[in-house]
C-alpha cells in the first residue's frame, strides 16, 4: 500500500512539474505574463521608454527603441491590460531582416509553425484594441506565420506593412479567459492604421 501511495504521489508531483513548465513562458530578461509595467521595466534594466495609453487607461503600453532581437535592431513593445502584461513583441525594419529569416529562427526555437487560427488572433487583437480593429481578411493578406506554445502563448509574425515586420507574443489563454469586447473601433486596413 505504501508503494502505491508513493507511486501516486510521485506521479502527481511529475504532473504538477509538467504543468508548471508549460506555464513558465518567459519573453526576455525573465519577463512573464501578468507582470506590471514597473516589474517589466525593472527586468529590462529601467531603460528609456515611451509610454502610451488607449484612452481609458485599461490598455497601456511601453515602447523601447534600439534593442537587438534576432541579430538586428528592433523596437520592443509591451502591452498591458488592466495593469498586467498580455502582449509583447518586436517591430523590425523590413530592410534589415526578412520574414522568412525570422520564421526560420522561431522554428529553431519553438518548433514547426502551427496552422494559423485567424479567428483566435483576431479575437485577441479585438479584446485588446476594440472590436472590429482586426479582421481575418487583413490578417490573411499580411503573410502571417504562427506558433502556438503549450501554455497558450500565440506568436504571430506578420508583414504589417511594406516597411515593418511585427513579431507579437500574445497571452492567448489569459486574454480570452478574462476579457470581453464591448466598444467598436476602426478596422485596420492593409496600409496599417
Amino acid at each position: 500500500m505504501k508503494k502505491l501511495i508513493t507511486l501516486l504521489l510521485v506521479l502527481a508531483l511529475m504532473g504538477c512539474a509538467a504543468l508548471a513548465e508549460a506555464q513558465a513562458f518567459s519573453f526576455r530578461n525573465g519577463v512573464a505574463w501578468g507582470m506590471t509595467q514597473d516589474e517589466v521595466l525593472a527586468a529590462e534594466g529601467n531603460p528609456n521608454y515611451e509610454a502610451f495609453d488607449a484612452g481609458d487607461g485599461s490598455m497601456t503600453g511601453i515602447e523601447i527603441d534600439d534593442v537587438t532581437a534576432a541579430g538586428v535592431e528592433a523596437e520592443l513593445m509591451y502591452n498591458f491590460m488592466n495593469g498586467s502584461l498580455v502582449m509583447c513583441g518586436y517591430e523590425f525594419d523590413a530592410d534589415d531582416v526578412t520574414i522568412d529569416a525570422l520564421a526560420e529562427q522561431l522554428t529553431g526555437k519553438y518548433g514547426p509553425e502551427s496552422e494559423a487560427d485567424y479567428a483566435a488572433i483576431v479575437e485577441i487583437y479585438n479584446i485588446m484594441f476594440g472590436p472590429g480593429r482586426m479582421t481575418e481578411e487583413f490578417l490573411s493578406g499580411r503573410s502571417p506565420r504562427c506558433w502556438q506554445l503549450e501554455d497558450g502563448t500565440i506568436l504571430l509574425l506578420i508583414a504589417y506593412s511594406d516597411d515593418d515586420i511585427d513579431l507579437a507574443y500574445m497571452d492567448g489563454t489569459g486574454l480570452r479567459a478574462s476579457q470581453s469586447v464591448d466598444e467598436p473601433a476602426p478596422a485596420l486596413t492593409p496600409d496599417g492604421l
Side-chain angles (χ1 to χ4, degrees), residues 1-184:
M1 183 58 122
K2 283 185 179 181
K3 287 182 181 180
L4 178 60
I5 291 173
T6 303
L7 178 62
L8 290 174
L9 185 58
V10 167
L11 290 173
L13 289 173
M14 287 173 52
C16 290
L19 181 59
E21 186 176 314
Q23 296 175 347
F25 175 77
S26 176
F27 178 58
R28 57 180 262 149
N29 299 324
V31 171
W33 300 134
M35 290 177 90
T36 66
Q37 181 172 312
D38 289 340
E39 291 170 329
V40 168
L41 288 170
E44 287 288 347
N46 294 308
N48 291 327
Y49 66 93
E50 290 183 42
F52 57 89
D53 187 322
D56 65 359
S58 64
M59 179 66 185
T60 59
I62 56 176
E63 177 183 320
I64 303 169
D65 291 331
D66 305 324
V67 300
T68 300
V72 296
E73 190 174 290
E75 292 179 7
L76 173 59
M77 305 282 208
Y78 288 106
N79 298 91
F80 305 87
M81 182 165 275
N82 300 319
S84 295
L85 180 65
V86 294
M87 185 178 197
C88 52
Y90 301 101
E91 182 178 301
F92 298 95
D93 187 317
D95 290 334
D96 296 336
V97 67
T98 67
I99 198 167
D100 290 333
L102 290 169
E104 185 177 321
Q105 289 186 42
L106 291 167
T107 297
K109 183 170 184 172
Y110 299 111
E113 293 178 43
S114 305
E115 187 167 321
D117 183 353
Y118 294 150
I121 293 167
V122 166
E123 178 185 5
I124 289 168
Y125 267 87
N126 289 336
I127 286 170
M128 292 179 63
F129 302 108
R133 182 77 171 175
M134 173 69 76
T135 65
E136 289 187 41
E137 294 78 22
F138 173 80
L139 187 61
S140 65
R142 305 312 303 168
S143 305
R145 313 282 282 272
C146 298
W147 290 261
Q148 174 83 42
L149 306 184
E150 287 181 19
D151 72 341
T153 297
I154 297 171
L155 279 67
L156 174 65
L157 181 62
I158 183 171
Y160 192 78
S161 70
D162 291 339
D163 300 324
D164 296 322
I165 299 171
D166 290 354
L167 172 58
Y169 293 73
M170 298 171 266
D171 180 9
T173 304
L175 269 169
R176 286 181 278 168
S178 64
Q179 305 298 323
S180 64
V181 178
D182 295 326
E183 297 179 22

